[in-house]
Amino acid sequence: MVIELKNVHWKRQNKSILKNINWAVEEGEHWVLLGLNGSGKTTLLKMINGYIWPTTGEIRVLGKQFGKYPLGELRKIIGWVSTAMQEKLHGEEYTENIVLSGKFASPKLYHDPEQEDIDRALSLMEEYGLSGFIHRPYASLSQGEKQKVLIVRALMASPKLLILDEPCTGLDVFAREQLLETVEQLGKQKDAPTLIYVTHHIEEILPVFSKTLMLRQGEVFKTGRTEELVTESQLSDFFEAPLPKRAFYLSQCNHP
């Protein structure tokens, strides 16, 4: 199992934020974590990364049980991409150095990298269409370009699990489509890490994500095959409101 949560609860100031979470992700699966703002998605991600601890319940990530394995070591093989991460990076760094820093899970390069790491960074940048950004400051890139760089940066450490936390936030329609194409490209690779794509926009759910977890008010609403859950009736029940026709139409464009 890549992720295994059993009866996980998390409380803050006597308020239950996550309640009775049971979730299993197997190797080779790519999942969407779907939920509205305030549903507990970010809290769940922080727990999977070991930044917060369950009040009760058991967590295993990549076969390692929390409490019996150094979380610092575990985080080295978990990639996490989010818009908020951009604020932690040094914008004046060259883009290739931002990518290289992913090998060391640090916001910048503190040591001279090995030639092998340099070659891998340049190879990944070429593979994902970023060669044109070499020797360009990270701050000079567009929001969408920065997000693509963060994905490639995460791949530097050869993660077994890659979490994409609402990566399309703030992107225009063209940048969003380009980023989604990058995610689809990654997910189709034979040696791809297990992907967890977090969103509240159903139109971002790509065919590569065959499984979906629906999280509502801190509880698992349903888990299962995406094609069975991303339907008008299921989504209306999940959101507790009639689904806007335009949103459903756009989601079906990704799942003909």
Side-chain angles (χ1 to χ4, degrees), residues 2 6 14 21 35 53 62 91 127 142 145 170 181 241 246 253:
V2 177
K6 294 182 177 179
N14 294 321
I21 303 295
W53 205 258
L62 297 169
E127 181 178 357
S142 70
E145 291 164 349
E181 286 176 7
R246 181 175 180 275
C253 289

Side-chain angles (χ1 to χ4, degrees), residues 43-203:
T43 301
L44 185 57
L45 295 185
K46 288 181 178 179
M47 195 168 291
I48 290 170
N49 278 276
Y51 291 112
I52 59 176
W53 205 258
T55 306
T56 59
E58 182 179 312
I59 299 179
R60 290 178 183 268
V61 176
L62 297 169
K64 311 300 183 183
Q65 184 173 348
F66 282 22
K68 298 183 179 180
Y69 189 82
L71 291 178
E73 293 300 310
L74 186 60
R75 291 190 195 114
K76 291 179 181 179
I77 51 176
I78 300 175
W80 190 358
V81 174
S82 69
T83 303
M85 189 180 299
Q86 295 182 15
E87 300 173 1
K88 301 178 182 180
L89 302 176
H90 296 258
E92 297 309 312
E93 281 275 10
Y94 284 142
T95 301
E96 64 268 29
N97 288 340
I98 295 292
V99 172
L100 273 164
S101 70
K103 173 68 182 293
F104 311 100
S106 60
K108 65 177 296 183
L109 286 177
Y110 295 103
H111 305 286
D112 291 334
E114 300 288 337
Q115 186 61 47
E116 180 181 358
D117 294 328
I118 295 174
D119 292 343
R120 175 167 169 74
L122 296 180
S123 176
L124 283 170
M125 290 182 73
E126 181 177 3
E127 181 178 357
Y128 287 93
L130 299 175
S131 295
F133 302 136
I134 293 173
H135 291 331
R136 276 186 57 181
Y138 181 68
S140 71
L141 274 55
S142 70
Q143 186 76 354
E145 291 164 349
K146 288 177 180 178
Q147 287 295 81
K148 286 185 68 174
V149 169
L150 290 185
I151 292 175
V152 174
R153 177 182 182 272
L155 296 177
M156 272 297 298
S158 300
K160 303 296 183 183
L161 171 63
L162 178 56
I163 298 170
L164 303 172
D165 184 9
E166 303 201 18
C168 291
T169 298
L171 301 188
D172 62 39
V173 63
F174 299 104
R176 184 183 70 173
E177 290 308 305
Q178 290 174 356
L179 187 66
L180 290 174
E181 286 176 7
T182 298
V183 173
E184 183 82 358
Q185 175 188 350
L186 172 60
K188 288 180 177 179
Q189 294 185 1
K190 292 182 180 179
D191 59 347
T194 294
L195 300 179
I196 307 295
Y197 188 95
V198 185
T199 188
H200 57 271
H201 293 291
I202 60 173
E203 63 270 23

Side-chain angles (χ1 to χ4, degrees), residues 195-235:
L195 300 179
I196 307 295
Y197 188 95
V198 185
T199 188
H200 57 271
H201 293 291
I202 60 173
E203 63 270 23
E204 294 177 10
I205 301 176
L206 299 168
V208 74
F209 298 110
S210 60
K211 297 289 190 70
T212 295
L213 180 148
M214 293 175 159
L215 191 66
R216 187 174 74 186
Q217 296 178 1
E219 297 183 87
V220 174
F221 178 76
K222 283 185 181 179
T223 63
R225 294 190 60 78
T226 300
E227 62 186 18
E228 296 173 356
L229 297 185
V230 183
T231 66
E232 188 169 7
S233 61
Q234 292 277 16
L235 289 168

